[in-house]
Amino acid sequence: MNVGFLGLQFSFGLQQSNMSPIYSYLGADEASLPLLALAGPVTGLLVQPIVGAMSDRTTSRWGRRTPYFFIGAVLCSLSLLAMPYSSALWMAASLLWILDAANNITMEPYRAYVSDRLPKDQHALGYLTQSAFTGLAQTLSYLAPSIMVWMGMNKDAVGGNHIPQITQVAFIIGALLSASTIVWSIWKVPELPLSSQEIAALKVKQQGWLSTLKEIVDAIKDMPQAMRQLAWMKLFQWYAMMCYWQYVTYAIARNLFDTSDPTSTGFRDAVLVNGQIGGFYNAVAFVAALAMVPFTRRWGAGKMHALCLVAAGLCMMTIPQIHNQALLFLPMIGVGLGWASIMGNPYVMLASSIPAERTGVYMGIFNMFIVIPMLIQGVTLPLIYHPILGGDPRNVLVLAGGLLVLAALATLRVKVPADNKASTA
């Protein structure tokens, strides 16, 4: 069921590890990186709630969710093929908008698909398995350029747009995986057919854009208390993760290679080092997501998530103090634990708090709790990058670590409904 998530998350991993360097290769300033990354949150804010609500109402012969994540996967593949051949900054930014829209079309129907197929007492296993595939996919995507160098490709060979050839090949691989793994999941685990009663109930509902928007507004008004409480955790958590992804390469370039020049060999080396430590923390996430299942069932998703966020935050704050490449792998253990939990435990808490018949729309709305913090980060961080953070990416990582600790405290305030705790504890 979750093999398709491999291709989807390989695409996200390529974005996390390569988009900031690609922007720099094309001439972007460090302080403007969050603004250039606004494509993801804006498209997520617009696309995911609408697609989630539409998938709840779809009664096609292919299923409720399948048409959406298949179309999204095809668009994603085409965008990945074109991205590393961007000739200008505006072209890369435009392709990122299309790529993020495609990923967002796929994401929430895919999460709802897992909830549709599994009973509540298997939600923890289902979503943490999905998290494990996230870790595996992003391990591969982060390591792809380094693997090509180890196989003999020249790390300093670049195209006319200054983008390394190893990056171009990694994106081609991502394009192939995005489409093929989604098709595999569709073929091997088709959606469960709707009952005649469910189909009748859906046909009674009004169709069209206005009714979809009304469904979203009504769902927001009726939002369960636990879901509202999760918003604060998501605010700190995703602001922090965007800071980390955008600036960790630049922190490594300064600490290990004493450079801030994106055209230098040292900067390209920093990109490869980030790929290696990023692959390691995602490998940790892959293992941790599966190992976390019994602990989540015993102690609850909330406590496990808070613990993992604290570990990630403290480790993230140590990165600016490390000037040895080998030692950089140590804090990645904590970052990996946090990432494994981020991609699984909040969804366990959410699935236990929302009505099953509105899973799609609430999964889409829940994504707003991701993209709104990303939007806030994209607008505010450039304003404080020089005056408060001293124009130093290492200070951005310290800020990110502190925000993850705040996210852990906010998680402990979330009260999952008592009658659903059996599925998460």
Side-chain angles (χ1 to χ4, degrees):
M1 185 190 303
N2 279 306
V3 167
F5 223 64
L6 180 78
L8 179 63
Q9 292 298 329
F10 193 97
S11 169
F12 275 115
L14 288 175
Q15 290 177 241
Q16 291 167 11
S17 58
N18 290 285
M19 282 314 302
S20 287
I22 284 174
Y23 284 146
S24 291
Y25 296 141
L26 296 172
D29 177 68
E30 275 184 22
S32 67
L33 294 175
L35 289 172
L36 291 168
L38 285 175
V42 171
T43 55
L45 185 64
L46 296 174
V47 171
Q48 287 203 20
I50 293 174
V51 170
M54 289 176 64
S55 72
D56 280 343
R57 294 163 173 258
T58 298
T59 56
S60 76
R61 62 173 177 168
W62 298 284
R64 284 196 291 179
R65 320 296 182 184
T66 299
Y68 299 96
F69 52 71
F70 178 74
I71 292 170
V74 172
L75 292 174
C76 175
S77 294
L78 295 175
S79 300
L80 287 171
L81 285 173
M83 178 65 75
Y85 298 98
S86 299
S87 57
L89 191 59
W90 68 265
M91 182 177 177
S94 300
L95 282 170
L96 183 62
W97 281 83
I98 300 171
L99 176 60
D100 272 312
N103 281 332
N104 282 306
I105 289 171
T106 305
M107 177 67 76
E108 292 319 305
Y110 212 116
R111 290 199 180 278
Y113 160 66
V114 172
S115 181
D116 291 342
R117 295 243 7 168
L118 298 177
K120 281 189 178 291
D121 63 354
Q122 292 186 24
H123 281 172
L125 178 60
Y127 284 114
L128 288 171
T129 300
Q130 199 169 79
S131 178
F133 272 91
T134 298
L136 176 61
Q138 295 191 4
T139 296
L140 297 173
S141 64
Y142 270 82
L143 285 178
S146 290
I147 291 172
M148 283 178 273
V149 172
W150 298 334
M151 292 175 64
M153 287 189 68
N154 183 0
K155 67 181 176 63
D156 294 317
V158 299
N161 56 4
H162 304 293
I163 296 176
Q165 292 177 0
I166 54 177
T167 302
Q168 295 171 343
V169 175
F171 272 74
I172 293 172
I173 293 171
L176 296 174
L177 279 176
S178 180
S180 62
T181 56
I182 289 286
V183 170
W184 172 267
S185 284
I186 293 171
W187 176 43
K188 299 298 289 186
V189 191
E191 289 189 66
L192 294 173
L194 295 173
S195 68
S196 56
Q197 293 87 349
E198 288 173 319
I199 293 174
L202 287 173
K203 288 183 176 179
V204 169
K205 291 184 177 180
Q206 291 182 331
Q207 302 296 319
W209 287 99
L210 289 178
S211 61
T212 299
L213 292 175
K214 183 178 182 299
E215 169 69 11
I216 295 170
V217 172
D218 290 343
I220 292 173
K221 290 178 180 178
D222 299 334
M223 190 184 302
Q225 182 184 13
M227 187 172 173
R228 294 179 187 275
Q229 292 169 337
L230 283 167
W232 286 103
M233 173 269 288
K234 303 282 271 189
L235 171 63
F236 298 126
Q237 172 181 288
W238 286 103
Y239 195 114
M241 293 309 298
M242 289 298 286
C243 288
Y244 175 80
W245 290 325
Q246 289 165 1
Y247 287 98
V248 64
T249 296
Y250 300 83
I252 293 170
R254 282 168 168 77
N255 268 8
L256 266 60
F257 304 103
D258 194 28
T259 183
S260 58
D261 179 5
T263 65
S264 67
T265 298
F267 185 84
R268 289 193 291 272
D269 287 337
V271 174
L272 287 174
V273 170
N274 180 50
Q276 292 160 18
I277 65 172
F280 180 71
Y281 90 66
N282 277 289
V284 171
F286 171 67
V287 175
L290 295 175
M292 207 179 292
V293 173
F295 297 100
T296 295
R297 285 174 171 166
R298 181 174 179 180
W299 295 329
K303 290 179 181 177
M304 278 303 302
H305 190 52
L307 180 63
C308 291
L309 288 178
V310 169
L314 295 177
C315 288
M316 211 172 276
M317 286 188 277
T318 68
I319 294 173
Q321 315 306 321
I322 298 175
H323 299 269
N324 180 288
Q325 180 175 339
L327 292 179
L328 277 175
F329 287 88
L330 293 177
M332 293 303 107
I333 296 173
V335 174
L337 287 172
W339 184 231
S341 187
I342 285 169
M343 294 305 292
N345 281 318
Y347 295 94
V348 177
M349 300 167 73
L350 176 67
S352 300
S353 306
I354 58 177
E357 69 275 8
R358 302 178 88 174
T359 296
V361 66
Y362 274 125
M363 285 289 181
I365 292 170
F366 197 53
N367 186 66
M368 295 168 67
F369 297 170
I370 299 175
V371 298
I372 290 174
M374 289 180 173
L375 285 170
I376 294 172
Q377 188 265 358
V379 172
T380 59
L381 196 71
L383 301 177
I384 66 174
Y385 186 69
H386 287 291
I388 296 178
L389 300 173
D392 192 330
R394 292 167 288 194
N395 293 332
V396 180
L397 297 190
V398 174
L399 171 64
L403 289 172
L404 286 180
V405 174
L406 290 177
L409 296 175
T411 302
L412 296 176
R413 296 180 60 252
V414 180
K415 305 297 182 185
V416 176
D419 58 343
N420 286 327
K421 283 184 179 177
S423 65
T424 60

